[in-house]
């Protein structure tokens, strides 16, 4: 049995040595399994690639694929899934927030045959800014209402999967990738392991609030067309309202003929209001259109600059 560990790395020179040490310790202990570490260097600007080369030199389990530039964690994970050969495949962060020591327990669950994947979720949002927690909760509430993917609050990307599940993920080849949605959408039987959030061992998180916000919007658009339904609903609603207003104005003009010109303020209000709504709706449609445009171009998800794997895809 081979276990592949996919590790996306972006500027992780400080955390990688800790990670490598921890993961080799676990791999050495699990003697009945073979391991391959598949580090994906996502265009790091520090010494990450040098470190990966040195791991590969002294350890044949350590392999790496280095991108030609930063393509994002989603692309890095996809590259990992496309290249991993293992019977079991796991995605882990390089910052030790996904403790390798959980691996033996996760493998046991898969071995029992009852589950296709073992995933981790943190059960508290302790140590996170209040505002961020609030928005995160709102996000999960809304997206679970409006999409058919089952997206779990607090789920991390750290999970161990069986081969069929990995193949299913690889078959979802969309270029705008929202992994939490993809994992939820493909289904399969998942065992959830709750655990307390762990701070990163070294270095800094790459997620700013605005990045997270953008990611959330992408999630909505990738996994739901509810915003489009909302836009059409709004259109119907406004049409009905304007028809009633039209009748009112028409009948009033017949019943109380009034020659004085008035109603400037109300006219401006109506114009501004409708103008605003139209721009909003156009914006929503534009978002879907731009996503469609990007998908139809079929650009590669990532470009490999350097690797020590002979058959890297
Ligand atoms: N990462 C990546 N490409 C990016 C950003 C992040 O490969 O553009 C990697 C990063 O090196 C780490 C993992 O994705 O191994 C998670 O990143 P981070 O720890 O910053 O996110 P958080 O754990 O705070 O959600
Ligand atoms: Mg992290």
């Amino acid at each position: 049995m081979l276990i592949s560990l996919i590790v996306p790395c972006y500027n992780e020179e400080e955390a990688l040595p800790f990670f490598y040490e921890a993961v080799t310790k676990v791999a050495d202990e699990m003697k009945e399994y073979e391991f391959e570490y598949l580090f994906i260097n996502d265009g790091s600007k520090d010494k990450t690639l040098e470190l990966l080369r040195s791991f590969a030199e002294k350890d044949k389990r350590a392999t790496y694929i280095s991108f030609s530039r930063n393509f994002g964690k989603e692309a890095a994970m996809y590259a990992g899934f496309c290249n991993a050969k293992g019977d079991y495949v796991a995605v882990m962060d390089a910052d030790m927030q996904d403790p390798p020591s959980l691996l033996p327990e996760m493998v046991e669950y898969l071995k029992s045959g009852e589950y296709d994947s073992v995933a981790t979720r943190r059960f508290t949002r302790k140590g996170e800014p209040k505002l961020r927690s609030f928005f995160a909760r709102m996000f999960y509430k809304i997206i679970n209402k409006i999409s058919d993917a089952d997206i779990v609050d607090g789920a991390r990307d750290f999970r161990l999967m069986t081969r069929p599940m990995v193949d299913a993920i690889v078959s979802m080849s969309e270029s705008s990738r929202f992994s939490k949605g993809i994992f939820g959408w493909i289904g399969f039987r998942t065992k959830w392991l709750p655990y307390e959030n762990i701070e990163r061992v070294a270095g800094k998180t790459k997620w700013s609030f605005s990045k997270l916000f953008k990611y959330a919007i992408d999630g909505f658009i990738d996994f739901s067309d509810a915003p489009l339904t909302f836009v059409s609903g709004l259109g119907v609603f406004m049409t009905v309202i304007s028809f009633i207003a039209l009748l009112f104005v028409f009948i009033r003009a017949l019943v109380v003929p009034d020659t004085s010109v008035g109603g400037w303020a109300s006219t401006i209000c109506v114009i501004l209001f409708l103008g605003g709504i139209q721009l909003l709706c156009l914006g929503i449609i534009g978002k879907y259109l731009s996503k469609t445009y990007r998908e139809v171009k079929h650009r590669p998800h990532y470009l490999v600059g350097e690797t020590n794997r002979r058959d890297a895809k």
Side-chain angles (χ1 to χ4, degrees):
M1 286 286 253
L2 175 68
I3 300 181
S4 305
L5 303 178
I6 301 170
V7 191
C9 309
Y10 178 52
N11 295 344
E12 297 286 8
E13 63 175 4
E14 289 162 53
L16 263 178
F18 293 102
F19 175 81
Y20 180 72
E21 197 193 306
V23 86
T24 15
K25 190 163 155 260
V26 173
D28 289 342
E29 274 164 16
M30 298 171 70
K31 288 207 171 52
E32 64 275 43
Y33 295 95
E34 271 184 61
F35 276 84
E36 70 168 354
Y37 319 139
L38 179 42
F39 294 101
I40 314 288
N41 174 34
D42 185 14
S44 303
K45 295 182 181 66
D46 61 1
K47 300 227 154 41
T48 299
L49 182 57
E50 279 91 329
L51 269 175
L52 296 182
R53 283 193 201 117
S54 73
F55 294 158
E57 239 161 61
K58 64 180 180 215
D59 185 348
K60 71 173 183 3
R61 291 174 292 195
T63 66
Y64 64 86
I65 291 175
S66 180
F67 288 173
S68 62
R69 64 168 170 87
N70 178 255
F71 282 89
K73 185 185 177 189
E74 292 287 345
M77 291 201 292
Y78 188 64
F81 288 129
C82 290
N83 283 286
K85 297 228 172 56
D87 304 290
Y88 295 158
V89 178
V91 184
M92 313 179 78
D93 285 5
D95 57 10
M96 300 282 286
Q97 282 187 297
D98 303 331
S101 53
L102 276 179
L103 278 172
E105 188 186 346
M106 294 166 99
V107 168
E108 284 310 310
Y109 278 111
L110 289 195
K111 235 171 61 184
S112 75
E114 268 174 69
Y115 299 102
D116 304 294
S117 90
V118 186
T120 53
R121 65 182 283 247
R122 49 183 188 170
F123 55 86
T124 62
R125 289 189 169 274
K126 241 181 14 213
E128 196 185 54
K130 285 255 154 51
L131 194 69
R132 181 180 291 200
S133 297
F134 172 75
F135 274 107
R137 274 207 202 93
M138 289 279 289
F139 168 73
Y140 286 109
K141 228 184 228 161
I142 297 173
I143 199 158
N144 276 317
K145 278 225 170 84
I146 65 176
S147 94
D148 49 5
D150 181 20
I151 296 169
V152 177
D153 188 358
R156 292 193 55 86
D157 291 332
F158 180 29
R159 44 170 87 211
L160 185 71
M161 289 162 270
T162 53
R163 191 31 58 190
M165 187 154 170
V166 175
D167 291 340
I169 294 170
V170 172
S171 75
M172 308 236 337
S173 59
E174 60 222 63
S175 56
S176 169
R177 301 187 70 77
F178 182 71
S179 280
K180 289 186 197 318
I182 292 175
F183 290 142
W185 191 90
I186 56 175
F188 291 95
R189 298 160 303 171
T190 301
K191 166 80 190 168
W192 289 99
L193 293 183
Y195 75 108
E196 188 118 12
N197 194 28
I198 304 167
E199 294 292 318
R200 132 199 277 295
V201 64
K204 270 205 285 298
T205 175
K206 277 98 203 166
W207 289 98
S208 60
F209 187 78
S210 65
K211 256 193 177 169
L212 275 176
F213 190 76
K214 221 181 126 255
Y215 189 61
I217 299 279
D218 281 338
F220 283 133
I221 293 184
D222 287 354
F223 280 91
S224 167
D225 44 21
L228 286 179
T229 315
F230 167 74
V231 165
S232 4
L234 194 64
V236 172
F237 177 71
M238 293 306 292
T239 310
V240 172
I241 294 279
S242 43
F243 188 70
I244 294 171
L246 186 145
L247 278 183
F248 173 75
V249 172
F250 185 72
I251 292 172
R252 195 181 62 169
L254 286 182
V255 177
V256 266
D258 180 9
T259 46
S260 70
V261 178
W264 183 87
S266 53
T267 311
I268 289 294
C269 287
V270 169
I271 290 177
L272 290 182
F273 180 62
L274 285 184
I277 287 189
Q278 279 169 351
L279 285 182
L280 172 77
C281 296
L282 269 182
I284 293 177
I285 297 169
K287 264 285 185 201
Y288 281 87
L289 188 66
S290 76
K291 286 255 176 195
T292 315
Y293 178 53
R294 232 186 290 166
E295 293 293 337
V296 296
K297 281 195 284 192
H298 284 301
R299 287 194 178 160
H301 294 77
Y302 55 87
L303 293 169
V304 178
E306 183 191 322
T307 176
N308 72 334
R309 291 171 75 91
R310 227 174 295 136
D311 47 358
K313 284 183 252 185

